[in-house]
Amino acid sequence: MVPVADRAEWVDFAPSSSDAGQVGRVTSSRPLAAVPLGEAIPLPESPALVCDGGVVVQANLAAARLAGRWLPDSLIGFPLHRLLTGAGTDAELIGPEGHSVPVRVTRWIAPGTNLLVVFLVDVSDLCPTRRQALSTEPRCTEVESVASLRSWQTSTARWSRRRRDINEPWALECELREEQRRLAEAQRVARIGAWEWDPASGRLVWSDMMHDLYGTQSASGPTTYQFYLSLVHPDDRGWVDELWRQLVVDHLPVECEHRVLRPDGEMRTFRCHGAAITDPSGSLRLVGTAQDVTEQRTAETRVMRSSQRFADLVAIAPVGIGIFDDADRLVDANEALCKLLGYDLETLRGMSSEALTHPEERVERLRTMRAYPSAISESYTVPQRMLMRADGEPVYCELHVSASVQDDGQRFMLVVFSDVTERRRVAEALRYRATHDELTGLPNRTAIKDTLTELLASPAPDLAVLFCDIDNFKRVNDALGHDAGDEMLVALARWLCDGLPEGCTGGRLSGDVFVVICSDVAAQGGVSALVATVSALLRTAIPVRGQLIRVSAAIGVAVPDAVTDNAATGGAEDLLRFADAALFEAKRGGTGHFVMANAALMALADRQVELECELREALVRDELQLFYQPVVDPDGVVLSAEALLRWPHPERGMLSPDVFLPVAEQGGMMRELDRWVLRTALHEARDWVTQDGRPIAVAVNLSAQLPGEPGFVDTVATAIAESGLPWDRLVLELVETALVDLPDETRRAMGELVERGVRFAVDDFGTGYSSLARLKELPTQIVKLDRRFVSGVGIDPSDFAVARAVVDMVGAIGRTCVAEGVETTTQFQVLRGLGVDAYQGWLFSRPVSGPAFRSLLEFGRLSFACSGDTTQ
């Protein structure tokens, strides 16, 4: 194709028939050969064809593309009536696969030739309604108004004029097509279709978007009103038909929403508008739009249902919920809030948050929206607020406040009221339990430490801490029972607190240890006067279960800066530690003593702490040793041996129990020591036999764990199983006070062990509170007479009388009596005369190591030997 700019000859055109049907019958006024070969009619850029005798002989690229082809040459040779169908200016351009494109047609005969020039305007983007309306107008006017094409004149003007006449309508055509494209795109985005209805013929014209929305094919045939009505949901069809019929009658605009059942079975919701118009010919036409609002209505329904669910949730919520306006007035509330505050809803409405707040907290009332003018949406929590019920009672609530804005722009606060009154009560109870002794109600160690910390923070504190330990409380507790002991502690705590002077606070650490904190020692006359006052209070008689129990106390005292040579006393923990060390030293001095902490004492306490750490290490490393002291019959024959604990200290030499057992007791190591002694003694005694093959029993003293305590029987059984020692070769020794008033569980445990062969011995009998009459009730087989009575049997008539009474009672109830601490022949002769069954003491042998004891067994009988280690 030769470009337009390269044409050598300009050709004038004159209009010819515009009837597509006449195109095939046009005859040439001169032969086609009159047009020089190689020459072509100059064509505009818009789609155009050149025909000779009804056959296409020339086409441009735009016409080929519009016809669905790639090159202009593909149209050459086609009969025009096969490419264009339809009469008049409205026609359809047929593509290669039968697809058609609606076009507007304008035809001219090229001047001086018999060639027909056909111009095509693509109107596929135009609304079908518009095409139908235009078809009723005069053809030339329609062409000029829609396509803005001027008739080409058969003048002798230059081609430049004709070129301008061609380009100008093409620009207008492009503008029209761009406008149509934007309209179609807007309809697609908004999902709005256009329609036109001729009530007289029933013919209904839909835009392509209408077909797309309703799920129909635009090329499936003519659309009618009845076809549209068949798509309307059956439940809506009646009133929709009546509405459109009314539009035909009164011509008033119509707006409605109805459901549609598309051919694919999907139900959609459409919003329709309709109006009546009169076209230029005077005919009535109904036009309108339809918009798919399914998603919008679904969203609205979802929001509505969500709002309803929210309202239902608020109504049934177990917590109180209230809505406050911008003026801080309650405008609505649920039933839970009404019950919580004791008001009905009408009374609550209009009340301010300040009116709901308890007078004690009104200074910190609810924050209002006015306090946050820039906060459109804010949420915060008030951990606790005391409100006032209608009856005047306080109620504690946790508030969750969310500030927001309504649809109308009004700000409001949504407040959730969670009743925390019970939770607060429980928290206070837990806090009280955490800071107070459960038995006496006195402040415990935590509260005491907090009080001291607060007092020490004041400038130049003049305070003192007193640790008070009730003398011999364990014996009283064991003799009368634990319940009676607790009753005495409660009474003593009340007596102490009621008698303390002003400025003093009492507390209880544990067991029978009380604490007194004085915040102004000078006001009490000094430390000595304060100690005298407290000591006098604790040296009293307490009635317990019909008995009057006299008590006293050892007291340890600590004051700030009293031990500056030892450690800094800047904290409460230091003072408590110093007072504890002073108390430990006071208890060593006997009943009723008091000791004040000083540098030397704390140095000793530090050494005790160091010794405790070393003892723990020695126990872990198995560095302790057991010595054994034999128990013999009157003839010196060895019957058993008592295991005695020793500690070979690497620096201080062999330490006896009286040196390190108090340290172990202070450090809570006694149970662990008992288990170690039991396991070791059973293991070493497994091979003890005399020359004649008689097995020897071993006695183990239990200083901490009672038989009735959890796991005791299992502990003994495990130790016996690991050692292989027979059950009947084990003797368990317990002090007399531990066996008084035994609980049923302890008796059952001891009975279970006795059935397996274990024997129990009462150690140090005569030093406790039990009477000889109660001796028969003890589940024991051996009674050991305490060395304090043995030492004087030969010189003190009282000791002799006690010893004889014990021996007689033990024999009468069928028990075995063993005398402890026999060191002289006189003691032995007197005791043998009284009928003592067995003897233990230095007269026969000092405590010896395990290998040495096995050597003793080779002698058969032991002779008197009154020299050696006298420690037990």
Side-chain angles (χ1 to χ4, degrees):
M1 179 73 78
V2 181
V4 173
D6 296 336
R7 294 294 180 263
E9 181 181 351
W10 304 105
V11 182
D12 290 335
F13 293 91
S16 179
S17 172
S18 60
D19 188 350
Q22 299 295 325
V23 172
R25 295 190 292 273
V26 173
T27 59
S28 177
S29 59
R30 67 171 176 161
L32 182 59
V35 179
L37 293 176
E39 295 294 337
I41 303 296
L43 298 177
E45 293 181 359
S46 58
L49 302 172
V50 178
C51 300
D52 184 13
V55 177
V56 178
V57 295
Q58 184 181 343
N60 61 6
L61 182 59
R65 293 290 176 85
L66 184 61
R69 301 176 186 275
W70 289 98
L71 300 173
D73 291 346
S74 60
L75 295 177
I76 305 270
F78 267 92
L80 188 59
H81 69 275
R82 290 182 57 188
L83 288 177
L84 290 174
T85 62
T89 58
D90 288 333
E92 292 188 355
L93 182 62
I94 307 301
E97 296 181 358
H99 297 295
S100 61
V101 178
V103 294
R104 293 277 167 77
V105 183
T106 304
R107 302 170 180 83
W108 283 270
I109 297 297
T113 70
N114 62 345
L115 299 179
L116 177 66
V117 181
V118 181
F119 292 95
L120 306 174
V121 178
D122 183 4
V123 295
S124 58
D125 293 337
L126 297 179
C127 175
T129 304
R130 177 61 180 165
R131 292 205 306 267
Q132 183 179 10
L134 291 175
S135 64
T136 61
E137 299 178 3
R139 296 294 183 263
C140 291
T141 305
E142 178 185 58
V143 171
E144 292 181 356
S145 61
V146 175
S148 297
L149 295 174
R150 297 182 180 180
S151 300
W152 288 14
Q153 305 296 324
T154 56
S155 64
T156 59
R158 300 293 298 172
W159 169 248
S160 58
R161 173 63 180 274
R162 292 197 303 273
R163 184 179 182 185
R164 185 171 63 252
D165 289 341
I166 292 175
N167 290 339
E168 185 175 331
W170 171 249
L172 294 176
E173 175 189 341
C174 290
E175 183 178 349
L176 175 62
R177 292 182 62 180
E178 179 63 20
E179 186 67 26
Q180 293 298 329
R181 187 194 63 77
R182 287 195 294 267
L183 175 61
E185 186 68 18
Q187 289 182 352
R188 184 187 64 80
V189 173
R191 299 188 65 77
I192 297 177
W195 55 268
E196 181 178 317
W197 175 31
D198 183 0
S201 64
R203 188 169 183 268
L204 185 64
V205 180
W206 277 1
S207 67
D208 291 340
M209 181 52 65
M210 282 288 292
H211 285 287
D212 183 58
L213 295 176
Y214 279 77
T216 61
Q217 295 296 328
S218 58
S220 60
T223 304
T224 65
Y225 174 74
Q226 291 302 324
F227 173 72
Y228 153 75
L229 207 58
S230 67
L231 297 176
V232 179
H233 194 282
D235 293 343
D236 299 343
R237 192 172 298 158
W239 66 265
V240 170
D241 181 40
E242 182 179 352
L243 189 65
W244 294 126
R245 298 294 182 185
Q246 188 65 31
L247 174 61
V248 176
V249 176
D250 54 24
H251 301 172
L252 295 178
V254 171
E255 179 180 346
C256 67
E257 280 189 19
H258 65 79
R259 293 167 293 173
V260 168
L261 283 176
R262 290 163 43 114
D264 58 7
E266 184 179 3
M267 186 175 70
R268 311 291 293 180
T269 301
F270 282 85
R271 184 172 185 82
C272 300
H273 293 80
I277 63 172
T278 303
D279 61 16
S281 65
S283 301
L284 175 67
R285 294 182 183 275
L286 305 180
V287 296
T289 61
Q291 182 181 14
D292 189 344
V293 294
T294 305
E295 283 72 18
Q296 178 182 347
R297 295 298 175 259
T298 301
E300 291 174 354
T301 301
R302 188 181 300 113
V303 171
M304 184 181 302
R305 290 177 179 174
S306 177
S307 299
Q308 184 60 45
R309 285 194 297 267
F310 175 75
D312 294 341
L313 179 62
V314 169
I316 66 173
V319 294
I321 300 177
I323 298 177
F324 290 79
D325 61 14
D326 193 22
D328 203 25
R329 299 282 178 179
L330 192 144
V331 296
D332 203 359
N334 65 349
E335 182 64 23
L337 183 59
C338 295
K339 291 182 178 180
L340 177 65
L341 300 178
Y343 293 98
D344 58 71
L345 180 58
E346 293 305 319
T347 304
L348 272 179
R349 281 181 174 145
M351 294 183 67
S352 65
S353 61
E354 183 176 2
L356 297 175
T357 306
H358 196 278
E360 296 179 9
E361 291 199 1
R362 284 183 181 173
V363 293
E364 296 188 19
R365 54 192 291 268
L366 285 176
R367 297 189 290 177
T368 66
M369 289 293 293
R370 289 190 302 274
Y372 300 91
S374 61
I376 296 178
S377 179
E378 178 193 4
S379 297
Y380 59 90
T381 299
V382 181
Q384 182 174 289
R385 177 70 72 240
M386 183 167 61
L387 307 180
M388 187 169 62
R389 288 173 46 86
D391 55 9
E393 290 296 320
V395 57
Y396 294 88
C397 292
E398 181 180 79
L399 308 181
H400 301 274
V401 185
S402 178
S404 187
V405 180
Q406 301 183 71
D407 294 339
D408 58 2
Q410 291 293 322
R411 291 181 293 183
F412 70 94
M413 286 191 301
L414 181 66
V415 184
V416 177
F417 297 76
S418 299
D419 187 357
V420 296
T421 305
E422 181 62 20
R423 188 173 72 186
R424 183 176 184 272
R425 186 194 65 79
V426 172
E428 289 179 347
L430 292 176
R431 185 163 50 251
Y432 180 85
R433 291 180 60 181
T435 57
H436 288 77
D437 175 55
E438 186 175 359
L439 176 64
T440 63
L442 295 178
N444 61 10
R445 186 181 186 90
T446 300
I448 292 169
K449 184 177 178 181
D450 292 343
T451 300
L452 283 176
T453 300
E454 183 178 351
L455 292 174
L456 288 170
S458 61
D462 183 22
L463 62 90
V465 180
L466 282 66
F467 271 32
C468 311
D469 182 87
I470 306 303
D471 295 325
N472 299 321
F473 174 74
K474 187 176 186 302
R475 291 186 176 183
V476 175
N477 196 34
D478 292 339
L480 300 178
H482 292 283
D483 292 341
D486 290 346
E487 183 180 338
M488 190 187 79
L489 287 176
V490 172
L492 191 60
R494 187 181 305 113
W495 175 262
L496 175 66
C497 291
D498 291 344
L500 284 176
E502 186 177 357
C504 295
T505 302
R508 180 185 179 220
L509 284 183
S510 62
D512 58 341
V513 179
F514 292 89
V515 179
V516 175
I517 299 176
C518 180
S519 60
D520 190 355
V521 177
Q524 308 303 326
V527 173
S528 297
L530 175 63
V531 171
T533 300
V534 175
S535 180
L537 285 173
L538 295 177
R539 187 170 55 251
T540 184
I542 302 294
V544 179
R545 297 190 176 182
Q547 300 187 40
L548 197 62
I549 307 299
R550 293 194 174 275
V551 296
S552 60
I555 299 176
V557 185
V559 297
D561 302 326
V563 288
T564 53
D565 294 339
N566 178 265
T569 59
E573 197 65 42
D574 292 324
L575 281 179
L576 295 177
R577 184 168 64 90
F578 300 156
D580 191 22
L583 175 62
F584 182 77
E585 189 65 22
K587 290 169 63 177
R588 291 165 59 94
T591 61
H593 280 67
F594 92 90
V595 172
M596 187 169 179
N598 52 43
L601 178 63
M602 291 312 301
L604 176 62
D606 289 342
R607 288 197 297 271
Q608 291 292 95
V609 172
E610 181 180 356
L611 188 63
E612 177 185 333
C613 296
E614 293 174 346
L615 179 59
R616 291 184 185 277
E617 290 294 325
L619 187 59
V620 171
R621 297 173 182 173
D622 202 22
E623 295 176 351
L624 302 179
Q625 291 184 8
L626 288 182
F627 277 47
Y628 300 94
Q629 187 171 33
V631 177
V632 300
D633 67 5
D635 297 327
V637 176
V638 178
L639 302 176
S640 63
E642 180 181 359
L644 301 172
L645 185 62
R646 298 290 187 268
W647 180 12
H649 194 278
E651 298 178 358
R652 301 171 62 178
M654 188 66 71
L655 299 181
S656 60
D658 61 340
V659 175
F660 61 85
L661 284 185
V663 174
E665 185 175 3
Q666 283 291 107
M669 301 169 58
M670 294 304 295
R671 293 179 184 273
E672 193 172 357
L673 284 175
D674 278 353
R675 288 193 292 269
W676 185 90
V677 171
L678 180 63
R679 290 194 305 268
T680 305
L682 294 184
H683 179 75
E684 294 185 353
R686 179 180 55 188
D687 300 328
W688 288 352
V689 291
T690 60
Q691 282 183 330
D692 57 2
R694 181 171 48 84
I696 303 299
V698 62
V700 177
N701 192 293
L702 301 179
S703 57
Q705 189 175 19
L706 292 177
E709 295 181 356
F712 176 77
V713 174
D714 293 337
T715 300
V716 175
T718 300
I720 288 180
E722 291 176 350
S723 66
L725 186 77
W727 288 83
D728 59 359
R729 290 176 58 188
L730 173 61
V731 177
L732 296 177
E733 296 187 2
L734 297 98
V735 295
E736 176 190 0
T737 54
L739 294 171
V740 176
D741 196 17
L742 288 177
D744 292 338
E745 186 176 355
T746 301
R747 291 180 178 274
R748 285 194 296 269
M750 294 178 67
E752 182 179 347
L753 292 175
V754 169
E755 289 178 359
R756 297 185 182 185
V758 175
R759 288 174 291 168
F760 283 91
V762 182
D763 195 17
D764 299 334
F765 185 81
T767 60
Y769 289 90
S770 60
S771 64
L772 295 177
R774 295 182 60 184
L775 182 62
K776 64 178 182 179
E777 300 176 0
L778 299 177
T780 58
Q781 295 75 40
I782 302 171
V783 176
K784 301 184 74 172
L785 183 63
D786 186 76
R787 67 178 59 248
R788 280 178 287 184
F789 301 111
V790 171
S791 62
V793 291
I795 56 177
D796 189 339
S798 299
D799 289 344
F800 177 80
V802 172
R804 182 174 61 182
V806 171
V807 172
D808 291 343
M809 179 63 71
V810 170
I813 61 177
R815 306 291 198 275
T816 299
C817 183
V818 178
E820 292 184 297
V822 180
E823 298 180 352
T824 66
T825 56
T826 301
Q827 294 169 352
F828 172 70
Q829 296 296 338
V830 173
L831 293 172
R832 186 169 61 175
L834 293 177
V836 173
D837 299 304
Y839 307 86
Q840 177 182 349
W842 273 70
L843 181 64
F844 303 98
S845 174
R846 62 184 178 85
V848 296
S849 65
F853 179 74
R854 283 193 293 271
S855 298
L856 286 178
L857 295 179
E858 297 176 358
F859 293 105
R861 296 185 181 186
L862 300 182
S863 59
F864 297 156
C866 297
S867 62
D869 183 7
T870 60
T871 58
Q872 297 291 315

